[in-house]
Amino acid sequence: MQFLGGNRRKLRLADDQRNACYPHSLQFYLQPPSGNISLIEFENLAIDRVKLLKAVENLGVSYVKGSEQYQSKLEAELRKLKFSYRENLEDEYEPRRRDHISHFILRLAYCQSEELRRWFIQQEMDLLRFRFSILPKDKIQSFLKDSHLQFEAISDEEKTLREQDIMASSHSLGGVQLELESVYKIPFADALDLFRGRKVYLENGFAYVPLKDIVAIILNEFRTKLSKALALTARSLPAVQSDERLQPLLNHLSHSYTGQDYSTQGNVGKVSLDQIDSLSTKSFPPCMRQLHKALRENHHLRHGGRMQYGLFLKGIGLTLEQALQFWKQEFIRGKMDPDKFDKGYSYNIRHSFGKEGKRTDYTPYSCLKIILTNPPSQGDYHDFGFSKRDTLPGSLSEVL
């Protein structure tokens, strides 16, 4: 009997040690996993994670995030794929381990381009938001501490002392009794968005944030950390891709992304040359509208503008032949000799379509790249394109 009792104690100790690895059903993924797994498990975990994130995306489109239907269907998806979602469930070690490892596997696959990173970060944020929404209140403080967030719930005495100020400053508390709501004392710098909107009470360098508002701050911290981590992962990616066992799988996973992919030619031929003028006024983003207007007025764009606008036109569906015709006709109107265009400009257009040089099939510039790189100089028109009178177009569906 003593022998059996000793075994039980050892088993309980082993379970406690395992559970200490993953104290919560959600995490910030601050530490990469250690240990060995088989290639089969590596692949299965990665595929299940992609299925989960696609489900998160689809449910976010079909239902209002946070609604009862959204919550129940996402919980069912997590349960089906055997990922962690709730506290206080028995034997949660394996679902949390699967969640931890699969997240880091997908970092390797989804750090390869800005579009992939943006999609991955958004779905992971929505997943964290759901898990945090069902986290028991008595677990929130320990989760914040384990995530290295210096957010401390204030005592009832402090809450009573500042009740009027907090209620007056926090719009989310409308009609809510403060004694039923947790309030967190966090550094002022972590609540800048709330401060800008005048939605938080400040005192001595700290913000007093109700639980309903702290979710946005937590998600912002998570996005910042994950974005930096993906950038670091991208730097080390060549070493991982040199492993011929992993490279095909990672490439396959990154192509499993279901968002808009401008590197494919699915839109080719959907926009004719005759449509461009009308589309530029009602459907183009301001930066492209400005470039189109400058091209029509001057019959010429400098290299930076041609690259930015040319790749955009490619992205909305112009074929190589249409692009060559479009640019040639416009430059000839500016008194350029056709032979000079063929010799000096057509090569760059073919190059952007992957038909010359390294045969790279270039994609349209992202907004971030337009803003942060190649600032315009005199004679350029490729800035972000906003003026005080500009408004963002409601939809680009006509273009895309």
Side-chain angles (χ1 to χ4, degrees), residues 27-226:
Q27 57 173 307
F28 264 34
Y29 309 102
L30 299 177
Q31 295 295 328
S34 58
N36 299 318
I37 63 172
S38 67
L39 281 173
I40 293 176
E41 186 181 14
F42 184 97
E43 183 174 4
N44 288 338
L45 287 174
I47 291 172
D48 284 347
R49 187 74 176 203
V50 171
K51 289 179 181 177
L52 173 61
L53 296 187
K54 286 186 177 180
V56 170
E57 180 185 37
N58 292 335
L59 289 172
V61 172
S62 303
Y63 304 96
V64 176
K65 292 177 184 178
S67 66
E68 186 176 343
Q69 282 184 307
Y70 175 88
Q71 298 284 100
S72 63
K73 289 183 178 295
L74 184 48
E75 183 170 326
E77 202 67 38
L78 283 159
R79 194 163 49 240
K80 182 176 73 174
L81 293 170
K82 299 179 180 178
F83 285 113
S84 59
Y85 59 97
R86 282 193 182 274
E87 301 284 311
N88 303 324
L89 295 178
E90 291 185 6
D91 195 20
E92 268 287 278
Y93 171 77
E94 187 57 28
R96 294 178 186 184
R97 172 185 170 273
R98 285 169 51 82
D99 178 68
H100 184 215
I101 296 174
S102 63
H103 169 87
F104 277 90
I105 293 174
L106 257 60
R107 281 190 187 185
L108 295 172
Y110 283 79
C111 70
Q112 299 182 45
S113 73
E114 183 181 351
E115 198 71 26
L116 290 173
R117 289 193 292 271
R118 186 183 300 118
W119 183 85
F120 179 66
I121 290 171
Q122 184 59 57
Q123 310 323 315
E124 289 286 348
M125 285 176 62
D126 286 344
L127 181 59
L128 180 69
R129 181 189 289 110
F130 163 76
R131 285 170 165 165
F132 186 82
S133 71
I134 60 174
L135 186 67
K137 286 190 176 182
D138 61 339
K139 300 285 185 180
I140 291 177
Q141 191 64 60
S142 60
F143 162 70
L144 295 175
K145 182 179 178 182
D146 291 338
S147 302
H148 301 170
L149 298 174
Q150 304 302 315
F151 303 164
E152 180 184 352
I154 64 175
S155 65
D156 290 338
E157 290 77 12
E158 281 190 276
K159 201 189 302 182
T160 302
L161 184 64
R162 298 174 174 84
E163 181 174 1
Q164 290 185 347
D165 292 321
I166 294 173
M167 290 291 292
S169 303
S170 303
H171 301 168
S172 65
L173 290 176
V176 177
Q177 291 182 327
L178 190 61
E179 60 265 24
L180 302 177
E181 183 79 2
S182 298
V183 177
Y184 292 84
K185 181 181 178 181
I186 70 174
F188 159 71
D190 292 325
L192 290 178
D193 287 342
L194 292 174
F195 171 69
R196 290 189 191 99
R198 298 185 178 184
K199 297 177 181 178
V200 68
Y201 173 62
L202 301 177
E203 183 180 318
N204 296 328
F206 288 94
Y208 290 81
V209 184
L211 177 61
K212 290 184 178 180
D213 288 332
I214 206 172
V215 178
I217 298 174
I218 291 172
L219 290 173
N220 188 52
E221 288 285 333
F222 178 69
R223 178 178 58 220
T224 301
K225 292 180 186 296
L226 182 54

Side-chain angles (χ1 to χ4, degrees), residues 1-12:
M1 292 296 293
Q2 287 180 346
F3 176 74
L4 291 174
N7 273 351
R8 289 195 188 98
R9 282 194 295 274
K10 289 179 180 177
L11 286 173
R12 281 199 300 271

Side-chain angles (χ1 to χ4, degrees), residues 308-352:
Q308 186 172 309
Y309 189 44
L311 290 175
F312 172 79
L313 293 175
K314 174 189 173 186
I316 66 173
L318 249 60
T319 64
L320 172 58
E321 291 73 21
Q322 287 175 315
L324 287 167
Q325 181 183 350
F326 172 78
W327 289 101
K328 188 172 185 177
Q329 286 178 347
E330 198 58 49
F331 276 43
I332 288 174
R333 287 175 187 160
K335 310 303 181 185
M336 179 177 288
D337 184 85
D339 289 337
K340 181 179 179 181
F341 177 87
D342 291 336
K343 293 177 182 178
Y345 294 90
S346 62
Y347 175 89
N348 286 337
I349 298 172
R350 293 196 304 272
H351 188 276
S352 69

